[in-house]
């Protein structure tokens, strides 16, 4: 039986994490309303003011526990990585791990991804990772590969900046593939089952990083998809007008998904 003590302790644990994150040197917290009222001070200056180098900066949007962000930082010490999410109690895990390992090329930004263009200056970000994003099957503008978000990314990525999409969702994979084809975006890789493609894994070893949620999908027999494409600065982006079969397993309740 779940008692009130359970909820008290769970809430207390989150509060302790939030308090600890306030003291973490690799965590920055700025909700959407804050940057609307006052510009983010490090916008355009992450390299010089935090990382103390001019290495390329790569974002993971919707980083969850930060497993992929930390994994990428381990593999590529010559690059800087920033995990972005609004859920601080999850982000705490990756931020803590990065500090314990002494990874100086990692930072975490707690904010709404809808405001992501308020945090980075022109050409400041060389690449983006979208790992197991919510496919937002009912709301096109909320999909992290929609024209709405791609136009936001254009504000801070150079011409031809790289976007990596790693997903369990056939819906998001099909949608993103159709969007890149319609808008003639150069595509380096497009695969609907990465773990059956040994040459792809050899070419992109960062695909071998597995998060908690990825392993959950794999254990259920769901294949992992991947698209790597280049976002060009110019041109009006168009949404694909196609019917896509929805991911029915997404409709399960939380308890069902955990099982």
């Amino acid at each position: 039986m779940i008692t009130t003590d359970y909820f008290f302790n769970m809430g207390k644990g989150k509060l302790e994490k939030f308090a600890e994150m306030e003291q973490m040197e690799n965590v920055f917290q700025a909700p959407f309303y804050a940057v609307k009222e006052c510009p983010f001070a490090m916008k355009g200056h992450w390299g010089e003011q935090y990382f103390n180098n001019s290495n390329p900066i790569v974002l993971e949007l919707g980083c969850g526990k930060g497993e992929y962000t930390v994994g990428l930082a381990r593999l590529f010490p010559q690059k800087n990585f920033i995990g972005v999410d609004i859920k601080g109690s999850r982000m705490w895990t990756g931020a803590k791990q990065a500090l314990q390992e002494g990874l100086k090329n990692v930072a975490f930004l707690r904010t709404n991804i809808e405001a992501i263009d308020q945090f980075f200056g022109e050409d400041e970000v060389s690449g983006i990772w979208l790992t197991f994003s919510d496919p937002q099957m009912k709301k096109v503008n909320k999909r992290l590969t929609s024209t709405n978000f791609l136009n936001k990314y254009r504000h801070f990525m150079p011409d031809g900046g790289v976007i990596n999409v790693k997903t369990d969702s056939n819906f998001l994979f099909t949608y993103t593939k159709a969007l890149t084809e319609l808008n003639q975006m150069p595509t380096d890789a497009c695969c609907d089952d990465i773990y059956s493609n040994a040459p792809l894994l050899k070419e992109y070893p960062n695909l071998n990083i597995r998060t908690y949620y990825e392993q959950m999908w794999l254990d259920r027999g769901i294949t992992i998809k991947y698209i790597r494409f280049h976002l060009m600065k110019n041109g009006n982006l168009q949404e694909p007008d196609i019917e896509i079969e929805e991911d029915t397993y997404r409709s399960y309740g939380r308890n069902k998904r955990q099982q």
Side-chain angles (χ1 to χ4, degrees):
M1 181 177 69
I2 297 177
T3 66
T4 54
D5 288 340
Y6 169 83
F7 292 104
F8 173 78
N9 291 329
M10 180 176 66
K12 183 180 178 182
K14 283 189 176 182
L15 291 175
E16 289 174 347
K17 289 179 180 179
F18 292 150
E20 188 173 356
M21 285 177 65
E22 291 286 348
Q23 306 302 318
M24 288 181 173
E25 62 184 23
N26 63 348
V27 175
F28 301 86
Q29 304 188 70
F32 185 33
Y33 67 83
V35 292
K36 286 186 70 176
E37 297 174 359
C38 180
F40 187 66
M42 255 187 341
K43 181 178 180 179
H45 304 285
W46 283 85
E48 61 192 82
Q49 293 186 10
Y50 176 74
F51 293 111
N52 297 313
N53 60 51
S54 58
N55 293 341
I57 294 175
V58 179
L59 308 183
E60 184 194 2
L61 301 183
C63 68
K65 295 182 179 181
E67 300 154 283
Y68 224 90
T69 302
V70 172
L72 289 168
R74 292 188 191 115
L75 283 175
F76 303 102
Q78 74 281 13
K79 293 183 180 182
N80 301 318
F81 296 90
I82 303 174
V84 183
D85 210 305
I86 192 60
K87 296 182 178 178
S89 60
R90 294 181 182 178
M91 180 184 291
W92 173 89
T93 303
K96 185 85 169 178
Q97 186 70 37
L99 289 175
Q100 290 174 341
E101 295 185 23
L103 296 172
K104 300 298 185 182
N105 62 330
V106 181
F108 289 90
L109 173 62
R110 185 186 177 204
T111 194
N112 306 82
I113 295 178
E114 289 81 0
I116 193 64
D117 54 332
Q118 301 298 312
F119 293 89
F120 302 95
E122 185 176 359
D123 297 347
E124 189 170 19
V125 174
S126 66
I128 289 176
W129 277 85
L130 305 174
T131 54
F132 306 96
S133 308
D134 187 330
Q136 297 287 350
M137 293 181 285
K138 304 298 184 183
K139 300 176 181 178
V140 175
N141 281 345
K142 289 196 171 186
R143 296 171 197 161
L144 295 187
T145 55
S146 68
T147 58
N148 175 43
F149 276 97
L150 293 181
N151 281 320
K152 291 180 185 289
Y153 306 155
R154 280 174 158 180
H155 288 294
F156 54 78
M157 295 187 76
D159 192 39
V162 177
I163 297 180
N164 302 272
V165 181
K166 189 179 183 185
T167 181
D168 61 285
S169 169
N170 187 64
F171 181 94
L172 184 62
F173 175 77
T174 304
Y175 166 78
T176 304
K177 183 174 182 287
L179 185 143
T180 57
E181 290 174 348
L182 175 63
N183 293 283
Q184 299 181 332
M185 299 182 185
T187 301
D188 299 328
C190 183
C191 179
D192 62 3
D193 184 1
I194 64 172
Y195 293 115
S196 67
N197 190 329
L200 180 69
L201 294 175
K202 184 176 181 181
E203 183 175 1
Y204 302 107
N206 41 24
L207 290 178
N208 289 291
I209 301 170
R210 295 191 186 184
T211 67
Y212 168 83
Y213 286 105
E214 176 175 359
Q215 192 57 55
M216 182 175 69
W217 302 132
L218 288 170
D219 290 343
R220 290 182 55 189
I222 297 170
T223 60
I224 305 303
K225 296 84 174 167
Y226 176 64
I227 301 179
R228 174 187 167 97
F229 64 94
H230 297 263
L231 178 62
M232 313 311 292
K233 282 271 196 184
N234 300 320
N236 294 322
L237 298 175
Q238 302 178 59
E239 286 287 342
D241 184 17
I242 58 171
E243 293 290 330
I244 306 175
E245 183 178 355
E246 294 189 355
D247 303 325
T248 54
Y249 66 90
R250 287 275 178 176
S251 63
Y252 290 168
R254 179 177 296 178
N255 292 336
K256 182 74 172 179
R257 289 202 304 269
Q258 288 176 342
Q259 292 171 10

